[in-house]
Amino acid sequence: MSTTDRDVRSVFVELADTLVADFDVIDFLDTLSRRVVELLDVSACGVLLADHHGALNLVAASTEQARLLELFQIQNSEGPCLDCHRTGWPVQSPDLTHAEGRWPNFAPAARRFGFAAVQALPMRLREETIGALNLFSANTGILSPDAVELGQALANAATIGILHERAVRRHELVIDQLQSALNSRVLIEQAKGVLAERLGFSVDEAFTALRAHARATNRKLAEVARAVIDDGLIITAPPAP
């Protein structure tokens, strides 16, 4: 088996962890966004999920640039992920310099963040679309069919895991869980900012340190984030280069 095959198998094993009890959906989707970048050789990845009102919310991003661009997309109600979620079908733009007619706000913003092409993949099972996976590339051009197929397989696996978790709970509890995850995301972003300012880290480095501490202490990301904000928890170990 090649290294690539081993990496793909390892990622799908990680995704299978969604089937166990009490998994951390935020940590899981952050892992997904980073593994997608590694496997598909794209520059960045963002994950958007719909809340109980059907509105998309940013849940994970592999870089700070991707996070800010995804927030810009949501705030302006325009972009590939929104189109993908609305239609339930993949959306691509191999050259964002030619996409201003389609996305007059998003396309120039994406280029300012250093992205030249984008591919959005639906997180969909049968007729239910729960979100979208956004793949950003610094270079123009389309992803290979194999890369798109693998990206969609990862999105499908994540969707199945999330929907499985929902299926074992009552509908009311499912709504509360997703809303809690979105609230946790806000808490984590605040903690990232606190750590970045306190320790002189970049925002991405602050998240790496936050996540490493959560795993080392067997705590959830949101729990550690709240300790940073409310209790003044100090995480001093610098992130690995």
Side-chain angles (χ1 to χ4, degrees), residues 78-79 83 93 95-108 111:
E78 172 197 299
D83 292 351
S93 176
D95 188 346
L96 286 168
T97 60
H98 303 308
E100 291 193 15
R102 187 179 192 181
W103 305 310
N105 296 304
F106 173 84
R111 295 200 308 274

Side-chain angles (χ1 to χ4, degrees), residues 3 23 82 109 239:
T3 300
F23 84 102
L82 277 75

Side-chain angles (χ1 to χ4, degrees), residues 106-121:
F106 173 84
R111 295 200 308 274
R112 286 195 300 271
F113 280 107
F115 301 122
V118 65
Q119 170 88 52
L121 301 172

Side-chain angles (χ1 to χ4, degrees), residues 43-184:
S43 303
C45 173
V47 183
L48 302 185
L49 285 182
D51 63 16
H52 57 286
H53 297 298
L56 286 177
N57 291 263
L58 174 65
V59 187
S62 63
T63 68
E64 181 66 7
Q65 289 82 0
R67 186 185 75 85
L68 294 174
L69 183 57
E70 295 286 34
L71 291 174
F72 180 90
Q73 178 179 196
I74 293 169
Q75 290 165 357
N76 287 272
S77 301
E78 172 197 299
C81 262
L82 277 75
D83 292 351
C84 180
H85 178 253
R86 184 177 64 253
T87 64
W89 292 98
V91 173
Q92 70 171 349
S93 176
D95 188 346
L96 286 168
T97 60
H98 303 308
E100 291 193 15
R102 187 179 192 181
W103 305 310
N105 296 304
F106 173 84
R111 295 200 308 274
R112 286 195 300 271
F113 280 107
F115 301 122
V118 65
Q119 170 88 52
L121 301 172
M123 297 180 69
R124 177 182 178 183
L125 181 65
R126 300 184 182 90
E127 299 304 314
E128 184 173 7
T129 304
I130 65 170
L133 202 67
N134 229 5
L135 311 177
F136 301 103
S137 299
N139 301 314
T140 58
I142 62 173
L143 295 178
S144 70
D146 286 345
V148 173
E149 184 178 2
L150 177 56
Q152 189 62 67
L154 291 166
N156 292 346
T159 303
I160 291 169
I162 292 170
L163 291 178
H164 174 84
E165 177 68 10
R166 293 182 179 185
V168 300
R169 301 175 184 271
R170 293 182 323 199
H171 182 66
E172 294 81 6
L173 292 180
V174 169
I175 292 174
D176 289 344
Q177 181 197 35
L178 181 54
Q179 196 60 51
S180 176
L182 297 175
N183 293 340
S184 294

